């Protein structure tokens, strides 16, 4: 569970009439989650049944300004807008308030998804971060480099009106072009925890 002090801190900020979307703490930390190699499943409905690139690792860093997320694959990845059959497609799901009761339910990962990153690039170095509750999106910078994709998401894109702390639940679903079926999920079941490593 989260520290009890968190609710008080959020209440204090809201009580000040903030109304903005800045995070409420200065936590800075790195995180890393490995994914098994060779665990992609057959992409039977994709063109030519091309398997999606195999996700190997999710690493990142959270600080007050941004969440930097790097997905590392077994092979070089190509952009969705490049049009290849093996182009990167899929989603990164964020449960910002760590509550399955808010956002849209994702039973496979046990998440109530408040925001998601669409891994389809826009052809101009950006990917959309969608705010499910408010039905709107912002564009985050996405850099493709050999077998990695690094996305820089401002923290303000991932905060809700009631939750602006450094605790997130996250899951990644990689698909081949065409999105279905998902062919590599991390974790395979459940979710990753992005949270401060040091005790408060
Ligand atoms: Ca994998
Ligand atoms: Ca939620």
């Amino acid at each position: 569970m989260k520290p009890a002090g968190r609710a008080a801190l959020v209440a204090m900020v809201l009580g000040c009439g903030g109304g903005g979307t800045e995070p409420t703490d200065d936590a800075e930390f790195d995180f890393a989650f490995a994914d098994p190699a060779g665990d992609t499943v057959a992409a039977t409905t994709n063109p030519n049944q091309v398997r999606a690139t195999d996700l190997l690792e999710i690493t990142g860093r959270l600080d007050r300004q941004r969440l930097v997320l790097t997905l590392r694959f077994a092979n070089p990845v190509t952009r969705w807008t490049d049009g290849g059959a093996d182009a990167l497609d899929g989603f990164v799901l964020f449960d910002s308030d760590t509550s399955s009761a808010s956002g849209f339910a994702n039973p496979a990962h046990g998440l109530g998804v408040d925001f998601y990153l669409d891994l389809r690039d826009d052809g101009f170095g950006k990917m959309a971060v969608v705010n499910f509750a408010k039905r709107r999106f912002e564009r985050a910078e996405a850099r493709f480099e050999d077998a990695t994709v690094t996305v820089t998401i401002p923290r303000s894109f991932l905060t809700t009106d009631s939750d602006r702390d450094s605790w997130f639940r996250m899951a990644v679903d990689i698909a081949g072009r065409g999105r279905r079926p998902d062919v590599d999920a991390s974790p395979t079941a459940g979710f990753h925890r992005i949270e401060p490593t040091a005790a408060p």
Side-chain angles (χ1 to χ4, degrees):
M1 295 297 289
K2 300 174 184 181
R6 186 189 137 259
L9 181 62
V10 171
M12 184 180 75
V13 170
L14 292 176
C16 291
T21 52
E22 289 302 308
T24 53
D25 62 63
D26 291 325
E28 292 185 10
F29 55 92
D30 298 321
F31 55 87
F33 308 109
D35 191 68
D39 64 337
T40 58
V41 298
T44 51
T45 61
N46 290 331
N48 304 318
Q49 301 187 5
V50 174
R51 288 181 182 234
T53 310
D54 188 8
L55 177 67
L56 296 183
E57 189 179 43
I58 305 163
T59 56
R61 178 172 181 78
L62 185 85
D63 64 25
R64 185 179 174 84
Q65 279 78 39
R66 63 192 69 85
L67 172 69
V68 179
L69 192 69
T70 297
L71 307 181
R72 185 168 63 84
F73 297 88
N75 302 105
V77 287
T78 61
R79 301 179 306 169
W80 187 82
T81 52
D82 290 339
D86 62 347
L88 180 65
D89 205 349
F91 301 100
V92 179
L93 311 173
F94 295 100
D95 189 343
S96 287
D97 60 3
T98 65
S99 168
S100 57
S102 61
F104 70 89
N106 181 291
H109 290 296
L111 296 176
V113 179
D114 305 300
F115 301 88
Y116 62 88
L117 170 70
D118 187 336
L119 291 173
R120 289 183 176 183
D121 71 297
D122 67 354
F124 300 95
K126 300 284 177 64
M127 291 176 178
V129 178
V130 179
N131 182 326
F132 176 73
K134 297 191 173 176
R135 300 286 197 273
R136 70 181 189 212
F137 69 93
E138 311 265 11
R139 293 182 205 279
E141 198 176 299
R143 190 159 43 87
F144 285 71
E145 201 167 13
D146 194 36
T148 66
V149 179
T150 299
V151 186
T152 301
I153 306 173
R155 284 282 299 278
S156 59
F157 289 10
L158 296 174
T159 56
T160 71
D161 289 340
S162 60
D163 191 292
R164 304 169 189 183
D165 66 14
S166 299
W167 278 256
F168 297 87
R169 292 172 180 173
M170 177 195 66
V172 178
D173 286 331
I174 302 298
R177 188 179 184 85
R179 291 210 158 129
R180 289 288 176 267
D182 291 331
V183 291
D184 199 1
S186 179
T188 303
F191 50 83
H192 296 301
R193 296 174 187 274
I194 296 176
E195 52 191 38
T197 47

